Amino acid sequence: MPPRKKKPADQAELFTASTPKEIQAILWKAADKLRGSMDANQYKEFVLGLIFLKYVSDAFEERREQLAKELAEEGIAEDRLEEFLEDQDEYTGHHVFWVPESARWSSISANAKSGTVGEVLDQAMDAIMKANPSLTGVLPKIFNKDNVDKKRLAELVDLITDARFGGSDDKPAQDVLGEVYEYFLGNFARAEGKRGGEFYTPSSVVRLLVEVLEPYEGRVYDPACGSGGMFVQAAKFIEAHRGRSHKADISVFGQELNERTWRLAKMNLAIHGIDGNLAARWGDTFADDKHPDLKADYVMANPPFNIKDWARNESDPRWKYGVPPRGNANYAWLQHMISKLGERGTAGVVLANGSMSSQQSGEGEIRQALVDGDMVACMVALPAQLFRTTAIPACLWFLAKDKSPGGVKGQKAAAADRRGEILFIDARDMGEMVDRTERVLTDADLAKIAGTYHAWRGTTSAKDAGETYADVPGFCASADLKTVQEHGYVLTPGRYVGAVEAEEEDAEAVAEKISRLTTELYELFDKSDQLAKTVREQLGKIDD
Amino acid sequence: MTEMMEVSAPSLSLGAAVLPGEWNWSPLGEVTLGIYDCPHSTPKLTDDGPYVVRTQDIISGTFRKAGAARVSRETYLERIKRAVPTQGDLLYSREGTYFGIAAEVPEDEEVCLGQRMVLIRPDASVVNYRYLRYWLNSPFMASHVHGSKDGSVAARLNVSTIRKLPTLLPRLVEQAAIAETLGALDEKIAVNERIAVTADELALALALDERWEKRIRLGEIADLSKVQQVPQEMSDDLVDHYSLPAFDSGKAPDRCSPLSIKSGKFVIDSPAVLLSKLNPEIPRAWDVVPDGSVPSLASTEFLVLVPGLGISTHELWSVVAQRKFLEELAAKVTGTSKSHQRVRPAEVMETEVVDPRQFGEVGGQIRSLAQSILAARRESKTLATLRDTLLPQLMSGRLRVKDAEKIVEDHV
């Protein structure tokens, strides 16, 4: 007796799933089965490409239905309806990508079982790129390859078809798919471990940057934008505070070094309905600055920590505070961002803890120049394990072009005069563990840190909340430049907020050192193995 | 290539080797595009900037960045006027305590010549620069160069002498093959040393003071071993000699005849940690596992520490090699002369260290790192012996590299 045909288990599960979270988890599990012989990078593009395709198609259908309704209301005759419905401008004018018939999900899903699904998907990607020049070179065409399991691909297409991504009244389809996209990005980052950190910053860290900087309007820039998480969070912030229609109050500028990550970012922005300028290509921020004339109001970034091999040009005009050492780009990132700040511009940067105290190769002098130049507004020491992808403890640098009462962008009322002062926040005890290895900052933590900053700076949001600033031993302290000088320009918050022993600071530096040395050692082992092989080959060639 | 000039090299002996037919002698000046002397001014050193290569930086035949001096960009530009050292050129010392040694210009660093150095720019159409480096550093050349000193005290080679240095050249393919074989060994040695240095640093970081609470007097976890032996009275052919100079020049013992060792030494008959009581501020803590095949002797400038029950020498080493511990010892030194200050053994044993018995899992990590350090250094020693054995054989044509020989045969 032939086996009874039954629906794949995932699909059955999907019908009982009720929350978006469950849907995401089921999809993730299903997609994971496709991994097979693909490498992590390809697989990531593969799955995210599919979700993106579903998104453009859904958004298109939504617009199409709406258009049909509008046209009917305008009294357009039924027989002429089709002509208007196929008018590209009606879509692109509403920030909806034009999706040619063959690329619509309905047509893909109809072909899912045909065995040519890979081909159909590649053609769909191609058709969408041709119809929408802003997506040129962005979408992956990797579905019709030998290493793709056609049967599982068809199952996944089915699953995506069935999943209820459809929007409801308060949540358009766009948001639901945006969340799915982010959920997948986060999961990929975890699955890739250390290397995942290259394209993904944990969302509680990004939210903290956004809550402190409050980018309501103006130019937002991220020189190491990864998959574009900073921009998505900034847009969400505006939506939450000002409403959906204000999303366009910011313009977004980014640059990303890695080609694949750059594509993920382009898709991520598109899926969240953000018009951003990520340049026509990926590129190295140090060697090939894609936004040379940009003056940004807000810079937010999580650049790669402690990178050794970077394009260093000693006479680069960006090194206003001193030439960064060859062996570490941390101070190159900081100075690059400062060079991009417009009048009253502010920046929030995630960096390795070492950056707060390093004295090697002139970094101490650069930090001194930054402090003496009154560029540093606030330093935040973060708890450990926020980044599942790296053991290196991290901190936040907030830089400000203008710390005077008139220096807060977009604010008419006078703020506090913080010239010659730096706010130190020690948040190392904050956050809660979500599982054995990962910690997140809670909403309350974010509110406390950002609230402290705003109270100190005297921004409107602090005034509205009726908060005033005071030092809290063990948590925050505002120090004048003289005090910072006395501490040898070391910016580790623990030194200023008190109540924390100096030994702990050193323990952090040790943790960082151990992690760095471990990585180095593993690389050397690999190299040693290779060389052992070469030695064998060479000695085998000697005639004796 | 035109016919090369026949070179007579009376002071250069290749032993009894009969050269393969297609090998040629040529004066160095004829197989190079230039030999450039250094500026004779003394360079002003700075903290940052391009490296200035001095004779002591290339003693090992490789430019060692550690300890190398730097100059300002202006000085650099001044010093590269005659020629810009680029990859493929050789740095060559022509005078000084150590001279007649060649090293490659590093690939990724700007360097200029220090005093008593020349830059050799090989003509790539006739000579492989790597081969040329091995040739210049070969024992044949060493005895030739040192034999051609004119008897005066200052040992030096002038540029015209360098131009005339006899250079033995196989066909280019064979030069490349020889350089590749010897190079593979050298690269493995280099990466082994980096493994040892990195693992060393990592193990010490794991045992670092800040990470551990409990302290204990050293005397409670280790004993001093004081068994002495007069090497001259030993009947063994070879011994491993753990001396301060051996520690300083690569942390590997000298294997030598006991007759060559003058005074009495400590006997190391089980794994031990050697700790220098001379100038303890210079960190010299040596994790030693004696090679059972020959006796091991240690200089009496060392204390021979034998770990107590339940502790390995590796863990013991990781706590006594800590900077903080050594600084405490340095504070307890006695002696008038700055260069010969010693700490009394009893004082050492009274000083507190991190108690390694609290290490738990970390103890295992430290042990495996220490073992990989020992293995890497031991392997390097073997590799270096192999290289030094092969080099004169390959360079005189007594041993040939198969592929190269085959290619050469096909073309003859």
Side-chain angles (χ1 to χ4, degrees):
Chain A
M1 193 174 74
R4 195 156 55 93
K5 216 173 158 68
K6 76 175 190 204
K7 278 212 171 234
D10 307 321
Q11 217 151 347
E13 247 181 283
L14 199 58
F15 283 112
T16 57
S18 54
T19 67
K21 261 217 147 82
E22 283 173 31
I23 298 177
Q24 289 166 358
I26 294 164
L27 271 181
W28 174 258
K29 225 170 73 195
D32 211 34
K33 290 183 191 160
L34 261 170
R35 188 183 289 261
S37 54
M38 277 183 251
D39 71 40
N41 257 323
Q42 189 197 351
Y43 171 68
K44 183 168 70 213
E45 264 193 298
F46 187 95
V47 174
L48 292 173
L50 270 185
I51 293 172
F52 184 79
L53 188 62
K54 176 72 157 73
Y55 156 75
V56 287
S57 192
D58 282 8
F60 175 84
E61 297 293 351
E62 245 176 38
R63 172 68 195 140
R64 195 179 165 93
E65 274 169 36
Q66 195 196 355
L67 183 60
K69 230 161 83 186
E70 284 169 21
L71 292 171
E73 277 165 16
E74 283 167 31
I76 304 288
E78 192 111 341
D79 56 335
R80 291 195 52 212
L81 209 56
E82 197 60 22
E83 185 187 315
F84 283 96
L85 284 176
E86 293 293 316
D87 179 358
Q88 278 206 38
D89 293 343
E90 289 289 352
Y91 297 84
T92 49
H94 285 78
H95 294 290
V96 168
F97 291 109
W98 169 257
V99 184
E101 181 128 30
S102 64
R104 292 179 198 161
W105 196 265
S106 48
S107 132
I108 289 160
S109 133
N111 279 304
K113 293 268 157 44
S114 69
T116 60
V117 60
E119 224 176 303
V120 171
L121 283 167
D122 277 354
Q123 281 165 6
M125 294 291 180
D126 209 30
I128 292 174
M129 285 193 277
K130 284 210 174 93
N132 302 278
S134 70
L135 292 177
T136 304
V138 172
L139 304 184
K141 288 179 8 188
I142 49 177
F143 297 91
N144 195 24
K145 286 196 172 167
D146 289 343
N147 63 353
V148 177
D149 179 339
K150 293 285 150 32
K151 188 171 150 280
R152 289 206 189 279
L153 176 58
E155 278 174 26
L156 185 61
V157 167
D158 268 356
L159 211 57
I160 293 176
T161 309
D162 289 346
R164 280 164 289 176
F165 293 131
S168 53
D169 293 341
D170 56 332
K171 229 177 195 178
Q174 188 182 306
D175 283 13
V176 181
L177 275 159
E179 273 167 28
V180 172
Y181 194 88
E182 273 174 66
Y183 172 87
F184 271 56
L185 271 181
N187 270 8
F188 280 124
R190 284 185 199 109
E192 282 184 33
K194 208 167 183 81
R195 289 166 66 216
E198 286 167 17
F199 62 86
Y200 185 78
T201 308
S203 72
S204 70
V205 176
V206 182
R207 273 182 61 202
L208 181 56
L209 288 178
V210 170
E211 296 288 340
V212 168
L213 295 180
E214 299 195 318
Y216 282 119
E217 54 179 33
R219 299 190 190 91
V220 177
Y221 173 58
D222 182 348
C225 71
S227 56
M230 298 283 176
F231 305 132
V232 171
Q233 214 52 246
K236 278 191 183 163
F237 173 83
I238 294 175
E239 247 181 72
H241 288 84
R242 298 269 160 96
R244 180 172 287 271
S245 59
H246 282 269
K247 232 161 49 175
D249 290 355
I250 54 166
S251 34
V252 158
F253 298 84
Q255 177 157 355
E256 168 55 40
L257 173 66
N258 181 297
E259 176 190 345
R260 283 186 149 133
T261 310
W262 175 84
R263 287 203 229 133
L264 294 184
K266 292 276 280 185
M267 285 193 263
N268 199 8
L269 291 197
I271 214 166
H272 284 94
I274 300 168
D275 279 332
N277 178 348
L278 302 187
R281 276 174 81 83
W282 51 97
D284 181 338
T285 303
F286 295 123
D288 178 19
D289 183 2
K290 297 286 188 192
H291 307 287
D293 303 318
L294 176 69
K295 287 293 171 196
D297 300 298
Y298 306 98
V299 177
M300 293 188 282
N302 173 18
F305 296 168
N306 305 329
I307 43 175
K308 287 194 197 87
D309 301 315
W310 61 286
R312 177 173 179 267
N313 171 4
E314 287 187 14
S315 55
D316 195 311
R318 286 175 285 189
W319 316 145
K320 209 178 136 188
Y321 298 89
V323 181
R326 192 183 300 273
N328 195 317
N330 288 352
Y331 278 86
W333 286 111
L334 287 173
Q335 294 193 70
H336 168 80
M337 292 181 223
I338 288 173
S339 79
K340 294 291 169 194
L341 288 179
E343 219 184 307
R344 295 191 292 174
T346 46
V349 189
V350 189
L351 273 182
N353 268 5
S355 65
M356 302 191 286
S357 57
S358 63
Q359 303 292 355
Q360 292 112 320
S361 320
E363 289 192 329
E365 284 79 34
I366 302 176
R367 191 169 54 250
Q368 173 173 350
L370 289 174
V371 171
D372 287 340
D374 211 9
M375 286 306 306
V376 184
C378 172
M379 300 296 305
V380 180
L382 294 173
Q385 291 180 293
L386 280 183
F387 299 81
R388 195 192 288 251
T389 51
T390 170
I392 298 181
C395 63
L396 302 181
W397 286 68
F398 289 99
L399 305 165
K401 214 55 191 291
D402 184 352
K403 286 150 77 179
S404 73
V408 180
K409 161 94 185 161
Q411 182 172 317
K412 289 195 188 73
D417 188 353
R418 292 298 181 183
R419 281 174 289 188
E421 281 181 72
I422 297 175
L423 173 64
F424 292 95
I425 297 178
D426 187 349
R428 281 179 301 170
D429 294 336
M430 291 187 152
E432 59 185 34
M433 301 301 287
V434 286
D435 61 32
R436 205 172 49 78
T437 56
E438 190 174 325
R439 182 190 291 271
V440 298
L441 292 170
T442 63
D443 288 353
D445 295 333
L446 295 181
K448 186 174 175 194
I449 299 170
T452 302
Y453 175 83
H454 288 292
W456 177 80
R457 191 68 190 89
T459 60
T460 329
S461 45
K463 285 177 185 160
D464 290 349
E467 281 176 26
T468 51
Y469 176 79
D471 286 356
V472 179
F475 175 63
C476 65
S478 182
D480 58 14
L481 296 192
K482 198 170 145 277
T483 311
V484 177
Q485 282 160 12
E486 281 164 13
H487 280 89
Y489 292 94
V490 166
L491 298 182
T492 313
R495 296 209 173 196
Y496 301 89
V497 304
V500 175
E501 283 167 40
E503 281 212 351
E504 247 180 277
E505 308 293 331
D506 293 338
E508 272 179 21
V510 175
E512 188 173 325
K513 187 175 179 189
I514 288 172
S515 144
R516 175 178 58 83
L517 289 169
T518 306
T519 314
E520 266 178 46
L521 192 60
Y522 290 173
E523 283 167 12
L524 287 171
F525 282 156
D526 288 346
K527 200 166 165 199
S528 178
D529 291 346
Q530 265 169 24
L531 285 170
K533 216 177 129 222
T534 313
V535 169
R536 276 178 221 274
E537 280 165 19
Q538 287 297 333
L539 293 179
K541 285 183 193 167
I542 292 172
D543 225 353
D544 52 5
Chain B
M1 188 74 220
T2 54
E3 193 106 338
M4 280 195 223
M5 193 184 88
E6 199 63 38
V7 176
S8 60
S11 65
L12 197 144
S13 161
L14 293 176
V18 179
L19 287 188
E22 71 282 1
W23 290 32
N24 273 309
W25 287 102
S26 184
L28 182 62
E30 290 194 5
V31 296
T32 53
L33 300 174
I35 293 174
Y36 309 93
D37 203 359
C38 60
H40 294 291
S41 57
T42 312
K44 190 173 171 296
L45 306 181
T46 56
D47 287 342
D48 209 4
Y51 288 105
V52 56
V53 183
R54 298 167 299 174
T55 56
Q56 66 262 41
D57 301 324
I58 60 163
I59 290 170
S60 62
T62 309
F63 169 58
R64 277 176 182 271
K65 273 191 246 176
R70 296 170 182 264
V71 292
S72 70
R73 183 140 295 274
E74 296 74 58
T75 311
Y76 167 77
L77 293 173
E78 190 58 37
R79 294 188 84 82
I80 57 164
K81 272 190 180 157
R82 292 183 202 180
V84 186
T86 31
Q87 204 203 353
D89 295 345
L90 299 180
L91 303 156
Y92 189 67
S93 55
R94 60 170 180 74
E95 202 181 334
T97 322
Y98 303 94
F99 73 99
I101 295 172
E104 290 172 24
V105 170
E107 189 183 343
D108 47 0
E109 292 290 351
E110 286 177 335
V111 299
C112 59
L113 297 180
Q115 284 173 300
R116 301 183 281 279
M117 295 286 299
V118 294
L119 185 75
I120 298 173
R121 179 157 294 165
D123 178 351
S125 66
V126 280
V127 63
N128 175 298
Y129 70 96
R130 217 155 247 181
Y131 168 85
L132 184 59
R133 175 172 78 89
Y134 282 115
W135 170 254
L136 291 173
N137 292 338
S138 68
F140 314 125
M141 277 311 274
S143 67
H144 174 75
V145 163
H146 292 271
S148 70
K149 288 191 292 192
D150 50 11
S152 57
V153 182
R156 61 176 305 214
L157 295 163
N158 58 32
V159 175
S160 66
T161 313
I162 297 173
R163 277 187 222 285
K164 286 184 210 134
L165 288 177
T167 311
L168 180 57
L169 296 182
R171 298 279 172 115
L172 257 181
V173 277
E174 188 156 4
Q175 292 176 31
I178 291 171
E180 216 181 313
T181 301
L182 298 172
L185 298 169
D186 273 336
E187 278 176 40
K188 186 73 170 80
I189 291 171
V191 81
N192 282 355
E193 185 52 28
R194 285 179 58 205
I195 284 178
V197 169
T198 312
D200 187 302
E201 225 184 307
L202 181 52
L204 292 185
L206 288 171
L208 206 60
D209 230 62
E210 284 82 355
R211 290 168 48 95
W212 307 98
E213 272 182 10
K214 272 179 67 191
R215 303 283 180 278
I216 194 163
R217 287 188 310 109
L218 179 59
E220 288 183 47
I221 52 164
D223 284 326
L224 274 180
S225 162
K226 296 175 186 165
V227 184
Q228 289 214 21
Q229 168 80 268
V230 180
Q232 303 284 341
E233 295 169 358
M234 293 170 76
S235 58
D236 302 83
D237 290 339
L238 290 168
V239 294
D240 275 346
H241 182 198
Y242 291 81
S243 64
L244 288 179
F247 179 87
D248 291 346
S249 67
K251 297 180 184 164
D254 270 337
R255 182 154 292 188
C256 56
S257 156
L259 299 175
S260 67
I261 304 173
K262 304 280 178 297
S263 52
K265 300 291 162 198
F266 286 129
V267 175
I268 313 174
D269 49 14
S270 67
V273 174
L274 305 183
L275 185 65
S276 166
K277 58 187 174 195
L278 175 72
N279 301 337
E281 75 280 2
I282 303 170
R284 286 185 184 117
W286 202 343
D287 182 12
V288 169
V289 178
D291 181 340
S293 60
V294 299
S296 290
L297 302 175
S299 154
T300 49
E301 292 291 4
F302 284 117
L303 297 178
V304 180
L305 298 173
V306 179
L309 205 62
I311 302 170
S312 74
T313 54
H314 310 314
E315 289 150 298
L316 182 62
W317 162 78
S318 75
V319 295
V320 299
Q322 294 294 338
R323 178 154 289 281
K324 196 162 175 188
F325 174 74
L326 296 171
E327 276 168 5
E328 274 178 49
L329 296 190
K332 297 177 180 173
V333 292
T334 55
T336 44
S337 151
K338 175 79 190 90
S339 61
H340 286 95
Q341 293 184 318
R342 289 183 178 80
V343 60
R344 284 174 36 234
E347 296 257 34
V348 174
M349 303 312 275
E350 280 305 308
T351 308
E352 285 194 336
V353 290
V354 167
D355 187 349
R357 289 172 303 190
Q358 66 193 313
F359 282 173
E361 254 181 17
V362 173
Q365 292 164 358
I366 290 171
R367 287 194 294 276
S368 62
L369 285 166
Q371 275 154 3
S372 72
I373 295 170
L374 287 170
R377 293 222 160 98
R378 211 160 261 171
E379 185 187 79
S380 287
K381 194 96 186 164
T382 310
L383 287 165
T385 309
L386 182 59
R387 176 201 57 202
D388 296 342
T389 313
L390 279 175
L391 192 138
Q393 303 291 323
L394 291 170
M395 290 261 158
S396 59
R398 269 173 289 195
L399 273 185
R400 311 282 298 265
V401 181
K402 267 181 208 158
D403 298 0
E405 190 182 21
K406 176 99 176 43
I407 296 165
V408 172
E409 276 166 7
D410 290 350
H411 285 76
V412 171

